[in-house]
Amino acid sequence: MGLSGRLLIGSLLLAALLTLVDGLIAHAPWLPVLTLLLLGVALTATVGLSRKLATIRQAHDLAMQGAHDGFWSWNPISKRLQVGERLLDILGYDHNFLPDTHAWLDLVHPDDRAGYNHAVAEHLKGATPFFYFEYRVRARSGDWCWIASRGLAQRDRNGRAYLMAGSVSDITERKAREEQIRYLAYHDQLTALPNRVLLAERLSQALREAEREQRRAAIMFIDLDRFKDINDTLGHEIGDSVLRSVAARLRTVLDTDCTLARQGGDEFIVILPHVMGVEDALHTGKRYLDVISAPFQEGEHEFLIGATIGISIFPDDGRDPGTLLRNADTAMYEAKASGGSLIRAYSQQMNERIQGRVTMEKRLRHALERNELELYYQPQVDIASGRLIGAEALLRWSPDGQPVPPDRFIPVAEETGLIVPIGEWVIETALAEAARWRNEFVHAPRLAINLSPRQFSGGQLARCVLDNLARRELPTDAIELEITESILLQPEGDSIDVLRELHARGLRLALDDFGTGYSSLSYLQRLPIEVLKIDRSFIRALGEDNANAIVRAIVAMAHNLGLTVVAEGVETDSQLALLRMLGCDVYQGYLCSRPLPAQAFRERLLRKSA
Ligand code: C2E
Ligand code: MG
Ligand code: MG
């Protein structure tokens, strides 16, 4: 009952009382005056109180409006619901059509309904000191509106709640901001793919499920081949664009339950939460390789990009995310070492090999001081005349008398930078040998020395070579420097300047292993070279129509540019005959001789030709 109602009843009762005491008045004429006086006092007090209450209500409404909050009250027994205008306003409705709990629940987002009911029930039970829940409600516009609702239950003497009331605030903007922050924290900005943080979460979740359901899951480590080349030669913008395209291509072949993440750089990771086994994962990996290797068109540039994939399987190759990621990475690394554009599944032996590399690095650090390095020499023969015209110095390393193939230790030396001091030793030793040939023989062949791209950074290379030649009074044509196309991809970019300087000083430069790298004509024109060495993989294939045609084309192109062509790895007479027919100038290979130690080379090849 309202305050005015109570006031009315009070006054009526008072009037009845007055009638009753009417008789008394005759006996006490002062009584009406006293009654009127009392009535006046009571009235004044009540009006004051009701004014005060009206002010409090106004203040409450004002606070509600000011706080932009909406008000509600709810009867947990009758389920009747009352909502204030502001709440309707938040949701965009103009009249209250929410008579009860059911109507309200219909508006609550299905994903939030259970949580909402739980929070209400907990408070009604008395398990929480107040009710608080953030959830989504369907607004009139059809959008989901995020609200935070808080309230308190009124209880009877037995603790049973008979009323609950509270307020609601619109937190849609805050939630949108939080969502955005969450998105930024969990996604890669360039490709919009999940980043490594989200990957870690999804991976743990996938492994938990696989464990529970006792099935296999796979992790795939995808690394683009020669992406650095794209960045270095075509620029970072195109590099970025390629990364976005790769992400988009992978998305098109990704199964819906898989997660594709960008690990950083040109590395992507896929979680496959359901696989039958290795074969299944390899099969899927093949699909990924296929989409990546379709040609890319960026502006006027068209090019191909390969990728290398390493796979690890849960639980076979590890049970925790760290081990599985590491093993997938190891498998990828091994696939790269075998030439890239491959898929490899992890095996225990891979880890042993990696361990071997670490040990090798340690031992290689001592190779120089322990005198474990040696140069071997392999003859180069002029095809037309059959004369020995050159030799290539090839590095040998035999720690504890056990030879390690150059293909294994040179990459380690390059990765660790040890190739710089080792390369200086090679130059020093090779030039000492070349000087000796000049002293002892009439026709000393020109000596070819291999250089690694790493030796070009630091600015010491040209000095080292030229000073050494001068010190030994050797003419510049006593030697030839072999480089590979990877020289163009040095980040410093001044390698070409070093080459130009060496060239200007009269040194002959040879491009080694032609056909295995970029092998683009425009590169050939940029490099100040005199010699082109055709990689031995082409020579091995000679006899097949295709290979013959390729070698013929390379020779023609090289001759056009005024280059001398050397064939590497010639092992048989028929290969030599074909090379002669195809117009190749010089050959090198086991057919003439394997690489020999210095003394054996001098005795067997130089004395003969002297
Ligand atoms: P490369 O410069 O292309 O050297 C030619 C390789 O082919 C040598 O391998 C040689 O032994 C091998 N070879 C020559 N004739 C034949 C043949 O008829 N059949 C076959 N199957 N192989 C033949 P090696 O000595 O194992 O050297 C491998 C690579 O290591 C070299 O390839 C070169 O890239 C690198 N390397 C060798 N010495 C040095 C060096 O002093 N410095 C640098 N930076 N790299 C070096
Ligand atoms: Mg070479
Ligand atoms: Mg070669």
Side-chain angles (χ1 to χ4, degrees):
M1 187 187 303
L3 191 72
S4 42
R6 266 182 244 166
L7 235 146
L8 190 73
I9 292 171
S11 316
L12 285 175
L13 279 174
L14 201 69
L17 197 69
L18 285 178
T19 325
L20 261 173
V21 295
D22 199 27
L24 290 173
I25 298 172
H27 306 282
W30 43 266
L31 200 63
V33 180
L34 181 70
T35 312
L36 274 175
L37 209 67
L38 281 173
L39 197 61
V41 171
L43 261 173
T44 324
T46 326
V47 168
L49 185 67
S50 96
R51 273 217 194 104
K52 233 180 233 165
L53 282 174
T55 319
I56 290 172
R57 162 158 289 168
Q58 249 177 359
H60 172 263
D61 288 350
L62 203 64
M64 281 287 184
Q65 276 172 17
H68 258 257
D69 282 355
F71 173 81
W72 55 266
S73 71
W74 177 62
N75 184 327
I77 299 156
S78 70
K79 309 289 181 206
R80 276 197 57 79
L81 176 69
Q82 273 186 312
V83 297
E85 259 169 43
R86 174 63 195 140
L87 176 52
L88 294 173
D89 207 31
I90 290 174
L91 299 176
Y93 298 104
D94 45 19
H95 67 281
N96 187 5
F97 67 101
L98 297 163
D100 56 25
T101 322
H102 289 297
W104 180 244
L105 272 178
D106 279 346
L107 292 184
V108 176
H109 193 288
D111 293 350
D112 298 340
R113 233 169 259 165
Y116 170 80
N117 281 333
H118 180 75
V120 173
E122 285 294 286
H123 184 59
L124 290 181
K125 260 195 327 204
T128 49
F130 57 86
F131 159 76
Y132 183 83
F133 196 62
E134 294 181 356
Y135 57 111
R136 283 159 291 179
V137 180
R138 166 90 63 203
R140 192 182 179 186
S141 62
D143 293 338
W144 291 109
C145 176
W146 270 101
I147 58 174
S149 181
R150 59 195 83 68
L152 211 55
Q154 198 76 44
R155 296 166 199 283
D156 60 19
R157 234 178 296 143
N158 305 319
R160 211 164 85 107
Y162 60 87
L163 179 71
M164 205 164 137
S167 67
V168 156
S169 17
D170 182 356
I171 54 164
T172 309
E173 261 179 47
R174 192 194 94 203
K175 280 287 177 186
R177 257 197 321 275
E178 278 175 8
E179 185 51 41
Q180 196 186 6
I181 291 169
R182 204 186 125 82
Y183 183 85
L184 290 175
Y186 281 99
H187 290 84
D188 166 49
Q189 300 314 297
L190 183 71
T191 57
L193 291 178
N195 64 10
R196 56 172 80 209
V197 183
L198 187 50
L199 173 85
E201 266 184 25
R202 297 259 178 96
L203 183 53
S204 305
Q205 190 190 339
L207 297 186
R208 272 198 305 275
E209 279 169 19
E211 175 99 64
R212 200 173 49 237
E213 289 165 28
Q214 299 214 324
R215 53 178 164 73
R216 290 196 155 81
I219 293 171
M220 231 178 247
F221 214 108
I222 307 176
D223 189 288
L224 303 184
D225 294 338
R226 302 213 214 128
F227 176 70
K228 198 173 158 305
D229 303 1
I230 300 286
N231 250 347
D232 292 347
T233 52
L234 302 178
H236 287 264
E237 256 173 50
I238 291 195
D240 284 355
S241 173
V242 166
L243 290 173
R244 276 193 292 264
S245 308
V246 168
R249 287 181 182 192
L250 284 172
R251 272 202 206 103
T252 61
V253 286
L254 201 71
D255 290 329
T256 45
D257 58 346
C258 297
T259 296
L260 166 67
R262 178 164 172 236
Q263 165 87 348
D266 59 345
E267 292 172 350
F268 296 86
I269 288 180
V270 184
I271 307 170
L272 299 115
H274 300 89
V275 287
M276 307 295 287
V278 180
E279 286 307 315
D280 188 18
L282 287 170
H283 190 72
T284 309
K286 175 77 179 54
R287 264 193 2 235
Y288 297 168
L289 278 195
D290 288 346
V291 284
I292 297 175
S293 40
F296 283 85
Q297 182 79 47
E298 296 286 346
E300 80 250 39
H301 306 282
E302 198 191 74
F303 48 86
L304 295 170
I305 288 197
T308 302
I309 299 184
I311 295 175
S312 67
I313 305 280
F314 169 90
D316 314 47
D317 304 326
R319 308 191 73 90
D320 61 286
T323 310
L324 286 162
L325 282 170
R326 203 170 44 248
N327 290 344
D329 188 24
T330 300
M332 191 279 293
Y333 194 77
E334 281 272 320
K336 279 259 167 172
S338 320
S341 292
L342 284 174
I343 313 172
R344 280 281 154 85
Y346 172 78
S347 74
Q348 182 57 36
Q349 291 82 351
M350 288 181 178
N351 236 347
E352 284 154 19
R353 274 200 291 273
I354 296 246
Q355 277 308 316
R357 267 177 93 91
V358 174
T359 331
M360 185 193 295
E361 180 189 332
K362 277 195 201 134
R363 290 158 75 203
L364 197 53
R365 290 193 183 278
H366 300 294
L368 277 172
E369 67 210 44
R370 289 186 189 157
N371 261 335
E372 292 167 346
L373 297 174
E374 193 184 354
L375 286 185
Y376 273 40
Y377 301 86
Q378 187 178 35
Q380 294 178 335
V381 180
D382 179 69
I383 295 181
S385 67
R387 284 188 45 194
L388 172 75
I389 55 154
E392 180 176 5
L394 293 160
L395 189 56
R396 295 290 175 264
W397 178 39
S398 305
D400 310 319
Q402 285 293 319
V404 180
D407 292 339
R408 285 193 57 206
F409 75 82
I410 288 176
V412 177
E414 282 174 338
E415 270 166 36
T416 53
L418 282 168
I419 196 69
V420 175
I422 291 178
E424 278 175 23
W425 178 89
V426 169
I427 293 168
E428 183 78 38
T429 313
L431 288 187
E433 187 64 16
R436 187 167 178 180
W437 293 352
R438 297 253 151 184
N439 284 335
E440 294 181 16
F441 308 99
V442 190
H443 299 291
R446 179 186 290 123
L447 181 53
I449 299 170
N450 289 288
L451 295 177
S452 282
R454 279 293 284 263
Q455 290 174 265
F456 283 79
S457 41
Q460 296 302 311
L461 183 68
R463 266 283 60 76
C464 174
V465 174
L466 294 166
D467 286 356
N468 240 300
L469 283 169
R471 184 152 39 85
R472 297 175 198 284
E473 294 179 359
L474 279 169
T476 46
D477 70 355
I479 60 166
E480 178 176 290
L481 300 173
E482 291 193 7
I483 53 161
T484 55
E485 283 162 281
S486 52
I487 192 98
L488 291 161
L489 311 168
Q490 279 299 93
E492 286 80 4
D494 58 4
S495 315
I496 305 256
D497 294 339
V498 181
L499 288 180
R500 292 217 177 92
E501 186 190 346
L502 290 166
H503 180 73
R505 298 296 198 98
L507 277 146
R508 259 168 75 104
L509 299 173
L511 186 64
D512 204 355
D513 304 338
F514 185 77
T516 56
Y518 254 114
S519 306
S520 112
L521 253 182
S522 63
Y523 284 174
L524 280 185
Q525 279 157 345
R526 277 173 64 194
L527 289 170
I529 50 167
E530 278 80 23
V531 182
L532 192 75
K533 297 186 77 176
I534 305 179
D535 190 69
R536 68 167 182 269
S537 51
F538 292 98
I539 310 306
R540 200 183 307 130
L542 276 180
E544 297 165 19
D545 285 350
N546 237 347
N548 289 4
I550 291 172
V551 173
R552 190 194 302 276
I554 295 176
V555 172
M557 176 190 74
H559 283 169
N560 246 336
L561 294 167
L563 307 177
T564 301
V565 183
V566 179
E568 295 187 295
V570 179
E571 295 184 354
T572 64
D573 283 320
S574 55
Q575 285 169 345
L576 180 59
L578 269 169
L579 287 166
R580 184 176 288 121
M581 201 184 78
L582 295 169
C584 187
D585 306 299
V586 178
Y587 86 92
Q588 180 183 341
Y590 296 169
L591 179 63
C592 172
S593 166
R594 289 187 176 252
L596 297 170
Q599 192 185 348
F601 184 83
R602 283 194 303 269
E603 284 171 4
R604 282 194 228 161
L605 287 140
L606 294 183
R607 284 198 204 294
K608 210 164 68 179
S609 70

